[in-house]
Amino acid sequence: EVHLLESGGGLVQPGGSLRLSCAASGFIFSDYAMSWVRQAPGKGLEWVSGISGNGGRTYYADSVKGRFTIFRDNSKNSLYLQMNSLRAEDTAVYYCVQDDQTWVVTVGKYWGQGTLVTVSS
Amino acid sequence: EIEMTQSPATLSVSPGERATLSCRASQSVSLNLAWYQQKPGQAPRLLFFGASIRATGIPARFSGSGSGTEFTLTISSLQSEDFAVYYCQQYNNWPYSFGQGTKVEI
């Protein structure tokens, strides 16, 4: 059974940094692209960032490009999102998402339960 | 960026009735369209990818259709557990984008 467990969320001041982690189990981690998708309180979904199975290809939404960095450690079955220069509009639940493909990001096949990031002074 | 527009925003139906949800893309996304279901307090769940390919464990009362710019999600006979928000998502061009959602309510 696929299991994705996010951690690292919390309250941070504008301009601050936070690193999200996702511990994956139940599948061969390196066989799948992974992504982070967020949802602001009471709002819709936004695809933030994705990474191929070997980490060689990354994707970023324009809203986070240059501020967020996605990376993975296949030896630890873990996905990460380093978030710098955080803004109030980054406040959201961040979901760790397993893809259906290896080399490209496509769809969210399995989702974690999410971790809440709140950017506020 | 491709804009995804869902209609209606809210769909009021009764259990046992048929529900038809629409999703329109601002430019062709071929068959690279997915549907998700999200219930309150839960993560989204993948229903369809490739516009009409049912994901694992999705009941047959759900069907997806369409191509290019016009897509439809149909629930043939609504069950109580189907009341939720449904999102479409294109993955033809990065940045991938979601529709704003259709809430299916009683």
Side-chain angles (χ1 to χ4, degrees), chain A:
Chain A
E1 180 185 0
V2 172
H3 193 58
L4 302 168
L5 183 62
E6 302 95 338
S7 61
L11 176 64
V12 61
Q13 292 189 340
S17 297
L18 214 54
R19 177 178 292 184
L20 304 184
S21 300
C22 172
S25 60
F27 62 102
I28 301 173
F29 186 66
S30 58
D31 278 358
Y32 294 92
M34 299 291 295
S35 294
W36 292 95
V37 176
R38 69 184 179 185
Q39 186 170 36
K43 302 297 183 183
L45 300 165
E46 180 184 8
W47 207 293
V48 174
S49 185
I51 187 168
S52 61
N54 66 355
R57 185 173 182 179
T58 57
Y59 306 69
Y60 296 96
D62 288 343
S63 58
V64 306
K65 198 174 296 182
R67 300 188 298 123
F68 290 11
T69 302
I70 189 171
F71 59 102
R72 62 193 296 163
D73 186 338
N74 286 348
S75 68
K76 295 182 178 179
N77 291 343
S78 292
L79 176 72
Y80 305 94
L81 186 67
Q82 177 66 42
M83 303 186 295
N84 299 330
S85 302
L86 282 161
R87 306 166 180 167
E89 53 265 36
D90 296 319
T91 295
V93 173
Y94 285 73
Y95 294 103
C96 172
V97 179
Q98 181 206 17
D99 206 274
D100 186 55
Q101 301 294 316
T102 304
W103 304 113
V104 294
V105 169
T106 57
V107 299
K109 186 176 181 182
Y110 292 105
W111 298 59
Q113 283 307 300
T115 186
L116 176 63
V117 172
T118 302
V119 184
S120 175
S121 55

